[in-house]
């Protein structure tokens, strides 16, 4: 067969080859989607909510509370933390021995529903206020916020100052940092969502090294989480990762930060923040913006954890618990 004949044969077969490839991709996508949906249904039965489901704006939000005390510590998770209960385990198990501790799931996280309502910071704050009220939790609240949850903790204090006794930030960003932070494109986030929805991530998660990577966003993460919670953590990751609500939350980051900045500083509200020493070196402008958090309150204190990554509560939980406990005692004495 001559080269010209081979070329003609290839051109004749090419449409069929393309059609076969497309069909294989479609069938694989449908099969993967069915696999993902059925697995999620099974895991919903296997891992029921550990706390209480509360109706908020005709949707269901999850809140977990334990412990007793005159101060209620509210733990607010960062962006993309698919299961706040597991993420904050190193803190809430010990803190609840002396205080009331609340872990809540924003819409799109944990056991809470997703929502199509825009993730504007005032909406998020109002949802949280409703959740705490409807679940019977009472202030004064001491907010402990990780990463971008600094925005909702500060905004809550701006809108409801009489209900907030203090704020502790866990390597959480200064709103001025987030105002200009370049977020991942929606297209990139949608690609990751597709990998989840078509079952690709779930299939890959059966490889131990991949599962470990999915559950450990950084070295040292999870060292204080019991093995019994790892399967729950993975199930929540495969359920919530890069869903539409979570994507929209990130797309609102700059506008939400701007709204918090425009509302002004917090006066003498007690403010403590822990800064990751690793992040100070890895992220341009992080160190300076962390120092500038002092401008948010005249009653502030920064603690730098030199060897800790972004999830500081997984690296130095003992020190963080001690500082929160001391602040709680001081607030109750005043």
């Amino acid at each position: 067969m001559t080269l010209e004949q081979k070329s003609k044969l290839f051109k004749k077969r090419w449409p069929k080859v393309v059609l076969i490839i497309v069909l294989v991709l479609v069938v694989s996508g449908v099969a993967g989607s069915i696999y993902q949906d059925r697995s999620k249904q099974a895991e919903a039965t296997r891992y029921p909510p550990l706390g209480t489901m509360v109706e908020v704006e005709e949707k269901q939000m999850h809140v977990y509370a334990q412990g007793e005390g005159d101060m209620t510590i509210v733990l607010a998770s960062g962006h993309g933390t698919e299961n706040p209960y597991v993420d904050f385990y190193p803190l809430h198990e010990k803190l609840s021995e002396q205080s009331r501790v609340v872990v809540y799931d924003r819409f799109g996280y944990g056991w809470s529903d997703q929502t199509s309502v825009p993730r504007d910071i005032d909406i998020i704050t109002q949802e949280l206020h409703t959740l705490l009220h409807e679940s019977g939790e009472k202030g004064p609240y001491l907010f402990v916020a990780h990463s971008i949850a600094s925005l909702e903790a500060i905004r809550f204090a701006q809108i409801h100052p009489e209900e907030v006794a203090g704020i502790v930030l866990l390597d959480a960003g200064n709103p001025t940092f987030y105002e200009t932070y370049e977020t991942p494109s929606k297209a990139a986030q949608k690609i990751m969502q597709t990998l989840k929805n078509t079952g690709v991530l779930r299939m890959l998660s059966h490889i131990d090294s991949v599962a470990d990577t999915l559950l450990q966003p950084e070295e040292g993460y999870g060292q204080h989480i019991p093995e019994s919670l790892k399967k729950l953590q993975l199930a929540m990751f495969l359920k919530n990762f890069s869903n539409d609500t979570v994507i929209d939350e990130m797309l609102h980051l700059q506008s939400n930060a701007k709204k918090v900045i425009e509302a002004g500083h917090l006066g003498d509200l007690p403010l403590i923040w822990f800064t990751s020493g690793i992040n100070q070196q890895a992220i341009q402008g992080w160190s300076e913006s962390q120092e500038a958090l002092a401008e948010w309150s005249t009653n502030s204190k920064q603690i730098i954890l030199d060897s800790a990554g972004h999830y500081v509560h997984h690296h130095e939980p003992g020190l963080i618990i001690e500082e929160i406990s001391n602040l709680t005692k001081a607030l109750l004495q005043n």
Side-chain angles (χ1 to χ4, degrees), residues 104-150:
Y104 68 97
D105 300 340
R106 293 191 298 279
F107 283 131
Y109 292 86
W111 286 276
S112 292
D113 291 340
Q114 294 184 43
T115 180
S116 59
V117 178
R119 296 295 81 201
D120 174 83
I121 192 63
D122 283 350
I123 293 175
I124 292 174
T125 302
Q126 182 56 49
E127 290 166 350
L128 173 56
H129 190 263
T130 301
L131 175 69
L132 293 172
H133 176 75
E134 292 298 323
S135 61
E137 301 299 334
K138 299 178 180 180
Y141 304 119
L142 173 60
F143 273 88
V144 178
H146 175 235
S147 197
I148 72 166
S150 59

Side-chain angles (χ1 to χ4, degrees), residues 1 58 63 67 74 93 96 100 116 164 174 212 219 240 243 257 259 273 297:
M1 183 180 291
E58 300 182 350
V63 59
V74 179
E93 286 301 296
S96 63
R100 180 71 168 173
S116 59
V164 180
N174 191 324
D212 289 342
E219 185 177 355
N240 292 321
N243 62 56
K259 184 172 288 189
W273 69 101
S297 172

Side-chain angles (χ1 to χ4, degrees), residues 215-260:
L215 295 180
Q216 298 176 7
E218 64 185 21
E219 185 177 355
Y221 182 95
Q223 57 188 310
H224 300 285
I225 294 177
E227 287 298 319
S228 59
L229 291 179
K230 295 295 179 66
K231 290 185 178 180
L232 165 62
Q233 184 186 13
L234 181 59
M236 284 295 178
F237 178 92
L238 296 171
K239 167 181 174 283
N240 292 321
F241 177 68
S242 200
N243 62 56
D244 286 340
T245 305
V246 170
I247 290 175
D248 192 50
E249 181 182 81
M250 180 54 70
L251 295 177
H252 275 81
L253 182 62
Q254 292 185 1
S255 61
N256 284 344
K258 183 177 180 180
K259 184 172 288 189
V260 172

